[in-house]
Amino acid sequence: MMSTVLAMAAKDLRLLVRDRGGLFFTLAFPFLVAIFFGSIFSGGSGEPRQLQILVVDEDGSEGSSLFVESLDRSEALSVELSSRVEAVEQVRRGKSVAYVALLPGFGASLSHPFAGSPPRAELGVDPARGAEAGILQGLLTQFAAERLQDAFGDPSGLQENARSGLQAIELSGATGPQAEGLKRLLTEVDRFATTQDTADGQEPRSGGQGGGFKLEPIRIEKASIIVAKNGPPNAYAISFPQGILWGILGCTAAFGLSLVSERTSGTLVRLQSAPIGRGQILLGKALACFFACSVVSVALVIFGTLAFGLAPSSWGKVAVAIACAAMAFSGIMMFLATLGKTERAVSGVAWASLLIMAMLGGGMIPLFVMPGWMQTLSNISPVKWSILAMEGALWRGFGWDEMLLPCVVLLLVGSVGLLLGTKLFRWPNA
Amino acid sequence: MIRLAGLTKKFGERFAVRSLDLDVPRGEVFGLLGPNGAGKTTTLSLMMGLLEPDAGVVDIAESGPPTDVGVRRKMGLAPQALALYQELTGRENLRFFGRIQGLSGTQLDERVDHGLEFVGLTPRANDLVAQYSGGMQRRLNLAAAILHEPQVLLLDEPTVGVDPQSRNHIFDNIEALKAQGRTIVYSTHYMEEAERLCDRVGILDQGELLALGGVNELIEAHGGLGVLTITTEAGEVRSIETENPVIALADWNRSELETVRSFEMERPGLERVFLNLTGRTLRDT
Ligand SMILES: Nc1ncnc2c1ncn2[C@@H]1O[C@H](COP(=O)(O)OP(=O)(O)OP(=O)(O)O)[C@@H](O)[C@H]1O
Ligand SMILES: [Mg+2]
């Protein structure tokens, strides 16, 4: 009997695809919402914004504070000093994008590029901000490399560096091609620094020939951070869930209307005269609506991920959120279809109710912009719970326990809608 | 095959069908005749189990009421209101309706092809129904009712609004279905269709069955006398009700001065049966 229900759903989806007007509301408009509002609020996409980071100076040496200063001078960064505990907490709670901790010994290692290990820094970045993490890592390497360059620009410092480096290698008794290569380089550097005129500093090489030796300007260790609650990574993280909701609303209206038109066009009579139950007829319609809602939502999430930097923190939760929202609105669709006799009447009632749900639930104006009393009021709108579940899965980093409330609300709404819709449905002639 | 007993359906205070008793034996083509609003569609809906009767029973093939899914499997309905998806092609419509009848695979393919061929729509199978003429839609509406080869076929005014060509096609279809031994209930307000196709007819008016029987039987019982219409040389028209037109014409010749230019004899038909039973003609109710 499932095959009957599937046949009904397949027929409805085919009809939906053939309906240009319907397709606009179920597909084109949601994409427009997602892209249009996202691009309006994401600010000029051309010039890069300053990346706000927290810096923890655990070294406290002259070298490390010079490094912090050079970070601060950079156009790309805005730096604030902080304690480690505070910094970790800020990033974890989404208040800050990242922190950089300069580990003890940072300054010394930085000014002795050939001795011991490279300067070590710890980087803690909000996992949802992968792009920024990359940029930050690049910037840190760049600054450390510049400090290295400065060292080469100062002949006496360079000579001292080279000698202490040579000493360190001999003391450690290291052998092998890499140690030999380094020794050769340092000897060269020593000779170069001795004969160097003070006026013209020459560009250093970052690596020596032979032995595959490489200088590592900075060693960055990444701290793993579990984000509790964070703000949206960008405007698209707000606009895509909104777009998805508009897609779901479009499907809800389209299928509510198609259910009514089964009655007005007489096809319902034929369905009823087939050897299938009334429940199956309605279930087929609900299922078709569920499919359509899911397909549109998944398409938007994938599109947003590929093209607009949406980075779902959990695909499993995204799937659950979409399924729950689709279920809720399939139920709402069934109920709305009982609210009028003709397509025109149902279309009016359905869009009026759906638009109010969207307005209250953050489908038009994002929830966080609303005043407190309105956010409370928004709890009555299934749109709010759908957006919450979607955002929870996309970037709020909800755990399953936090997903539970919106999902249960949505499933309840869906069940009640389905139940009322089935009970109140006007069969022809009855 | 179809048995109705004391069948009654009211909408509000108005009886749409009132204490209807009827037996349609296997293989019969039964005509349900009546003017607009007589209760034909309501009767067929009750037969199909689409409506719950207020009183009485419907029994199909002695297997129970059609509200039973298993019983409905033996039945096909071509509704009066076209029941087709305008934005699907003819073939897509039939494939869908075949599926919900439980057909699948090659059987579905075969039945759909056969259905299209049967009603002569194979060349237009892949056009959207929205692009079909009224007559073509009627034919598809019929094809959709016979996909699952039902024993009992209910056709609600299968020829309304079609051109004579489609109408003849549908007549041929019904005769073919009859030859296959199917039991057919055919509702119409065209008497000549009933005279051509039906073994028996029931005349329905305001929800009540006024007369029931073979076409000739009813005409004999309720048709009254034939009507002889004479047009004189002067252009006057006279109508004489008579059992024997030859004698009536001879009488006229003997007694009247005016010469006969032409005459016409009309045998009573179902139209007159209806007029005599209700005092109204079929078309002006
Ligand atoms: N759903 C309904 N609600 C109220 N009254 C109805 C309903 N369906 C039919 N009726 C009434 O029942 C009566 C019989 O209607 P029905 O449709 O059975 O007539 P019909 O013989 O099929 O007429 P037609 O030749 O116009 O199709 C009419 O008076 C009609 O107004
Ligand atoms: Mg009718």
Side-chain angles (χ1 to χ4, degrees), chain A residues 24-328:
Chain A
F24 174 77
F25 283 107
T26 50
L27 212 59
F29 185 64
F31 273 82
L32 284 180
V33 167
I35 298 168
F36 183 69
F37 285 104
S39 63
I40 282 184
F41 293 112
S42 65
S45 52
E47 73 258 30
R49 284 169 305 154
Q50 275 202 329
L51 198 57
Q52 309 217 325
I53 59 165
L54 298 169
V55 173
V56 184
D57 187 355
E58 290 189 335
D59 187 29
S61 68
E62 198 193 338
S64 66
S65 65
L66 276 173
F67 187 76
V68 173
E69 263 170 45
S70 69
L71 287 182
D72 203 15
R73 273 198 303 274
S74 150
E75 303 245 308
L77 295 177
S78 134
V79 170
E80 198 184 316
L81 278 170
S82 161
S83 76
R84 172 183 278 264
V85 179
E86 176 68 8
V88 172
E89 188 56 19
Q90 292 265 359
V91 174
R92 209 179 74 78
R93 292 175 49 207
K95 297 250 161 71
S96 221
V97 179
Y99 73 84
V100 177
L102 307 178
L103 300 180
F106 185 90
S109 303
L110 196 65
S111 46
H112 296 99
F114 307 119
S117 55
R120 282 161 55 239
E122 183 184 292
L123 184 60
V125 187
D126 180 341
R129 311 287 293 266
E132 279 93 338
I135 293 172
L136 196 52
Q137 214 170 329
L139 283 172
L140 290 175
T141 311
Q142 184 192 327
F143 289 131
E146 276 168 12
R147 288 291 298 119
L148 203 61
Q149 205 168 308
D150 291 348
F152 277 88
D154 166 15
S156 65
L158 188 60
Q159 190 169 44
E160 190 192 316
N161 264 330
R163 290 193 177 145
S164 67
L166 272 170
Q167 213 174 351
I169 293 173
E170 263 144 32
L171 273 178
S172 70
T175 51
Q178 183 153 5
E180 283 307 310
L182 193 54
K183 262 196 225 167
R184 206 162 49 239
L185 174 74
L186 291 178
T187 318
E188 288 287 313
V189 167
D190 189 10
R191 197 177 311 140
F192 165 79
T194 322
T195 59
Q196 182 69 12
D197 288 339
T198 38
D200 50 336
Q202 286 195 354
E203 292 285 305
R205 301 239 205 103
S206 61
Q209 321 90 313
F213 166 75
K214 251 191 197 164
L215 268 184
E216 190 181 5
I218 188 169
R219 179 167 296 163
I220 295 168
E221 289 154 17
K222 280 194 204 153
S224 66
I225 293 212
I226 294 156
V227 173
K229 282 216 171 42
N230 47 24
N234 56 39
Y236 294 109
I238 299 288
S239 69
F240 269 83
Q242 284 183 317
I244 289 173
L245 254 292
W246 282 102
I248 291 179
L249 297 183
C251 290
T252 306
F255 281 95
L257 285 192
S258 91
L259 184 47
V260 177
S261 75
E262 295 270 9
R263 183 176 55 222
T264 55
S265 76
T267 44
L268 197 55
V269 166
R270 200 189 287 287
L271 297 183
Q272 275 181 280
S273 58
I276 53 178
R278 292 182 170 190
Q280 281 175 307
I281 296 175
L282 296 181
L283 191 63
K285 193 62 87 177
L287 197 66
C289 182
F290 179 89
F291 276 160
C293 289
S294 306
V295 166
V296 173
S297 307
V298 168
L300 271 157
V301 172
I302 290 178
F303 180 66
T305 305
L306 294 181
F308 289 93
L310 222 57
S313 42
S314 155
W315 283 98
K317 287 178 190 130
V318 169
V320 168
I322 288 176
C324 289
M327 162 84 186

Side-chain angles (χ1 to χ4, degrees), chain B residues 35-37 39-42 44 80 156-157 187:
Chain B
N36 291 135
K40 302 182 294 294
T41 299
T42 306
L44 292 176
Q80 178 177 2
D156 198 354
E157 310 214 20
S187 94

Side-chain angles (χ1 to χ4, degrees), chain A residues 270 273-274, chain B residues 44 48 71-79 101 141-142 144-156 183-185:
Chain A
R270 200 189 287 287
S273 58
Chain B
L44 292 176
M48 194 71 223
V71 172
R72 267 210 308 278
R73 209 175 289 280
K74 303 176 183 163
M75 309 177 71
L77 167 70
Q101 288 289 351
N141 201 43
L142 174 63
I146 57 163
L147 288 169
H148 57 300
E149 303 184 90
Q151 296 172 34
V152 174
L153 199 50
L154 308 180
L155 309 178
D156 198 354
T183 309
I184 300 172
V185 178

